[in-house]
Each structure stands twice: as structure tokens, then as C-alpha cells.
Amino acid sequence: MAAVRALYPALADGHAYLDGAAGTQVPISVIEAIAAAYRAGMGNLGGAFPASGRSEEIVAGARAAVADLVGGTQEGVVFGPSATALAYQISEALSRAWTPGDDIVVSRLDHDSNVRPWIQAAGRAGVTVKWAEADLVTGELPAAQYAELIGPRTRVVAVTAASNVIGTRPDVTAIAQLAHAVGALCYVDGVHATPHVPVDVAALGADFYTTSAYKWSGPHLAALAADPELLETVWPDKLAPSSNAVPWRFERGTLPFADLAGITAAVEHLAALAPASGASVPGASPASRRERVLASMTAVESYEAALFGRLLGGLAEFDRVTLYGKAARRAPTAFFNVAGATPRAVAEHLAARGVNVWDGDNYAYELCTALGLEPDGAVRAGLVHYNDASDVDRLIEGIADLAR
Ligand SMILES: Cc1ncc(COP(=O)(O)O)c(C=O)c1O
């Protein structure tokens, strides 16, 4: 842990960064990759000179890196400014083929970026919106309800791979199977899941899978992974002279080349967190980056699970703390309130002690409304791989001042 934490310059300020669910810090390798891209001389794509060629290599490298992170193919990786922007773009494009009488299914568990774009597209197309409900006591999103919700006219099922507040990881594979059985597409929000678990888009059954690099030690941009053959069937609004090819036609305007160099560095950073199995066997061929990513993320998942147990155990000591959600499979993210203090007051109290947490609904708007938590939401403390026991203990000590 000391070696991993030393890679992150920002952690040297002594704060307990439990705000990773809203954006992680970046390791020095990412900062240097971005700086190196600018330092080398930067050109736009398609030029006759070397700086242009360097940008082309950066884009190709970043597509390959994201494909290795989520198990997709690089020809199916689309970059965008944010997962929200990508959801708007894909929902707008897909909804042109919807007709009244069709329906879509969204979930009450999701971040609003995988809800509102679909609802607004459905409104324009005159399409029915069906809701999958989260169990407000357990925080589960039961997959069985999708058998009732999905029908022959269902076009899209939009669901999260992990809640960004209560951490619930629904059975996306089962949900996607039900969607595919009627020919519907499954659009999976992988923004909160990707930093915490090994991801395999094919195993999930995700037709579209979004992930935001700034949640996994990368720069502020997002990617969508899909089968290139599926992308060939989708036509977004685009400029006349820009490429009609997949995945380029989904990318509006000039890509942020230096940040894309940072994406590749972030995936390399994740891949190096744990040794791949067999890596130390003499004579064995070196593990691929995909294999190293899977080994690392498996290690990250178990490391975070143990630390999350410490966090949950600490919070459970206080009668005045209400914790939301207790799903069986969950990302290491706690969402809670302290009786007698607003979420903002708790966050300010912790900030004064050098502990960074979020307060509010964190855009899990439907879930917070259903839980009766709007407009203040709750306090969110989320773990990522660079957090350690001292971060958790400082959170618990800070809450103890308030909750005893
Ligand atoms: C689960 C989830 N989905 C979507 C988003 C939105 O991502 P972006 O900021 O890239 O639009 C977030 C951001 O917090 C998130 O946590």
C-alpha cells in the first residue's frame, strides 16, 4: 500500500481521500504521460507530419487500453467528454428507430445519467417508460422483476453495474439475458463498477458499456465499449466532413489527445497493481495486459472488500448512524446519515479533520427520492484501491465526535 500511495502526489497532502466515487486522484505516470504528449509536439489527426501521427498512435493506444480494461475490442471503443454525454448521444441515436407502443426499461437504482437521457428520448418518440424498482431496505435491484417488465416491444434496458451511492451490483448478466431474449439492447452504466471489479463486457451481456476514466485514476473523459458491428447499425448526428467510420463517427470534434495518453497510462497503472498469475513462472510467456488487468482488479476487489468491512463495522457502532443499502454484492461505497446533523454539516465536520467525503444525492436522484432523502441526500464515503485503514479509521473517529 505504501508503494501504491507513493505513486499519487495528491495523497501527500495528508487528507483521507474517501471521495473517489466522485473522481479519483491520478498517479504520477498519468500526469507524466499527459505532459509528455504535449511536450512531444501535438498535431490534429490526418496530417502529413509526425506530430499528427503521434496523435493517431495515442488514440489507437487509448482504444486498446480501454478494450483491455473492460474486455472489449478496440474498434468498438468510443471516447466522449463524459458518460452522461455518451448516454445522451446513444439514446438520441437509438430512439430514432422507436415507435409509439415500444417501451424502454430504466431503474430506480441508477445515476441520473443512465435514466434521464432515456426518459427524454422516450418522451420525444412517444415510447413507454417502465421502472425497475430497488428494494429500499436491502438496496437490491432484483433481476426477477425484469421478466415482468421486459416485453416484445422493449427496445432498451438501461441498468447500472453498480450504484454510485449504495454500491449495489445488480445481476446485469441475468437482466441482459432477459433483454436479449426479446431482441432488446442492454445499456450498462459501468462508471461506478469499473474501478472496483474485473469487468468483462461480454460476460455481462452489455451491448453498450460506459466507463469514466476519472473514476479509475485517469483524466476527465469517458469511453463507451460496444461491439463494432452493433455500432455500424447506429447513426448519431454528425458533421458532413467528419469520418463515417466506426468508432470515429461517434466522436464529436477534436479528441483530447493528451488526456487519451493519460488513459493508457491509467490502464497500465491498474494493470501493474498486482502480479498476474504465472508471471513468476520461469519460461512462461509474459502475461498480456488484459490478463494483468484481470489479476489486478481481482486483487483490488478483495483488498477493498476487506477495508469496506472495517468501514461498515465502524459505522455499525453508532446508533445515530443510518446506513442505506446492504446488498449482497456491492462496491465499497457507504451512504449514511447521522441523526441531528445534515449531510453537509457532517461533510464539513469531516473536512475540518482532513477527511474528504461527499454529501448530497450524488445524482442518484431517483433512489434518493424513493428513500425520502431529497434534497439533502446523505453522506457518501467511497473506497478505492489507494485508500488504507488509516483513512477509514479517521472517518470513523470523525463520526464518533458527532454520533456519540
Ligand atoms: C454510476 C455513475 N454513472 C454515471 C456518472 C456520470 O459520469 P460522467 O461524469 O462521466 O458523466 C457517474 C458520476 O458520478 C456515476 O457515478
Side-chain angles (χ1 to χ4, degrees), residues 21-22 81-85 111 113 160 162 164 189 191-192 212 214-215 222 380:
S82 63
T84 305
H111 185 287
S113 72
T160 191
N164 65 315
D189 175 351
V191 174
H192 194 70
S212 295
Y214 72 96
K215 311 285 190 176
R380 179 176 69 177

Side-chain angles (χ1 to χ4, degrees), residues 275-284:
S277 60
S280 58
V281 177

